[in-house]
Amino acid sequence: MNEPQETVWSISDFIPTTEVFVVGCHPSGTDIALELCTVAREVHISVKSMDAAAVVPGMRRAVSRHDNLHLHLQIDCLCEDGQVMFADGSCVVADSIIYCTGYDFSFPFLDTGGLVTVDDNRVGPLFEHTFPPSLAPSLSFVGVPRMVVVPRFYEAQARWVAQVLSGRRPPLPPEEEMLRAAEYHHRAREEAGVPRRQSHNIFFDVDYMDEFGAKHCGFPRLPEWKKELLRSSVARLHDATESYRDDYRDSGLVREGLQAQGWLTGRPPPPPDTRVENES
């Protein structure tokens, strides 16, 4: 297939006779597919597998509710005429194909003499996902970790780098110590069965993110109600993919925290959340 062309579009660009194929079933792919199924005739989504890690329960429920939303396994090839061929021999013909495949790290502009490499999307070695031991602190990477609370975590990385460079933070550990720490991290991930290309996935580990900010740049610790809000938001994203933005139910701890901030003054508590159970 020819090199895909970048296009800026909106949901209103699609008409009811459109067949759309979305490549990828992570958050961006599911968001786009769920919006499109309200206007397009058929929406098809490709997934690498049907296990819970690839297709979250909330997305399975959404597919069961929409007759025009379909999951497919293993693309064999994408043809120039719009045909999408699958490994089992079946195919669909798409008017539009939307790539939601994520991205791979590449630094062609950066000549490190092999001191920093990218191997199946693992950038390394990096101490705490940020500093390459042999080139620190003059070289650093901000934004490599995935599945994090992006604004806070990347700001923590940037503040750490700035504080180290300005001398407002203690010097980094010796090169050998940083290298051992990076190797230990990767070895522990491999022993836990985490694929190499997910080496920098934090998996929304709230405690790790909180510790990272406090340890490396002096960020204040998150109160427990904010941690609970983050954890429950991720859980709702998985369990109620189609509706989690609209019918979120705060726990008692979260409501107390919000009220203490003055954000829920006078609002009665919502009814108990039974939607997820009833959707199954």
Side-chain angles (χ1 to χ4, degrees):
M1 188 172 184
N2 293 335
E3 188 72 18
Q5 300 297 310
E6 294 183 4
T7 304
V8 177
W9 54 269
S10 67
I11 295 298
S12 61
D13 294 329
F14 293 89
I15 58 177
T17 58
T18 304
E19 295 252 357
V20 185
F21 194 85
V22 179
V23 184
C25 195
H26 289 296
S28 58
T30 57
D31 275 354
I32 290 171
L34 288 170
E35 284 200 62
L36 284 173
C37 74
T38 64
V39 294
R41 181 175 64 190
E42 301 288 342
V43 178
H44 305 270
I45 316 170
S46 70
V47 295
K48 290 184 177 180
S49 73
M50 290 292 184
D51 62 27
V55 185
V56 297
M59 190 58 185
R60 294 179 188 275
R61 297 187 185 97
V63 170
S64 70
R65 285 195 296 271
H66 296 280
D67 293 336
N68 65 335
L69 185 59
H70 313 281
L71 291 175
H72 298 273
L73 269 174
Q74 298 297 337
I75 296 175
D76 184 51
C77 68
L78 300 175
C79 305
E80 292 187 21
D81 61 359
Q83 285 193 86
V84 183
M85 308 294 296
F86 302 101
D88 63 4
S90 62
C91 72
V92 298
V93 179
D95 299 300
S96 298
I97 298 175
I98 301 174
Y99 294 86
C100 299
T101 54
Y103 54 88
D104 289 333
F105 291 115
S106 177
F107 308 102
F109 54 86
L110 192 61
D111 183 8
T112 65
L115 295 176
V116 178
T117 61
V118 180
D119 180 10
D120 196 15
N121 239 25
R122 175 190 288 178
V123 183
L126 292 182
F127 174 61
E128 292 280 21
H129 306 282
T130 307
F131 289 103
S134 58
L135 298 171
S138 59
L139 179 65
S140 58
F141 292 77
V142 173
V144 170
R146 300 181 178 186
M147 299 182 75
V148 295
V149 179
V150 167
R152 182 180 176 89
F153 194 87
Y154 292 172
E155 182 180 350
Q157 283 188 295
R159 283 175 177 263
W160 183 24
V161 171
Q163 290 173 9
V164 168
L165 292 175
S166 66
R168 288 182 293 161
R169 205 78 187 162
L172 295 170
E175 177 182 339
E176 296 78 10
E177 184 177 334
M178 290 192 288
L179 184 59
R180 283 196 301 270
E183 291 173 344
Y184 174 81
H185 168 78
H186 293 317
R187 187 166 58 252
R189 284 296 182 92
E190 290 169 358
E191 291 174 354
V194 177
R196 178 180 292 265
R197 68 179 295 102
Q198 295 180 8
S199 296
H200 300 292
N201 283 17
I202 307 302
F203 300 106
F204 297 108
D205 184 336
V206 176
D207 291 326
Y208 171 83
M209 292 186 284
D210 194 38
E211 174 66 22
F212 185 99
K215 176 181 177 181
H216 293 309
C217 71
F219 259 6
R221 295 279 188 174
L222 286 174
E224 286 303 316
W225 71 268
K226 286 189 177 181
K227 290 184 179 182
E228 169 62 22
L229 178 60
L230 291 171
R231 293 189 184 104
S232 58
S233 296
V234 173
R236 290 288 298 172
L237 169 62
H238 287 178
D239 293 336
T241 307
E242 192 171 11
S243 59
Y244 76 99
R245 292 186 179 92
D246 303 319
D247 64 357
Y248 180 79
R249 302 303 201 265
D250 298 324
S251 68
L253 178 63
V254 171
R255 287 189 60 80
E256 289 176 7
L258 294 173
Q259 287 172 338
Q261 298 292 319
W263 295 337
L264 287 182
T265 304
R267 277 180 51 185
D273 183 9
T274 59
R275 180 180 177 86
V276 172
E277 289 77 5
N278 291 340
E279 287 176 352
S280 57

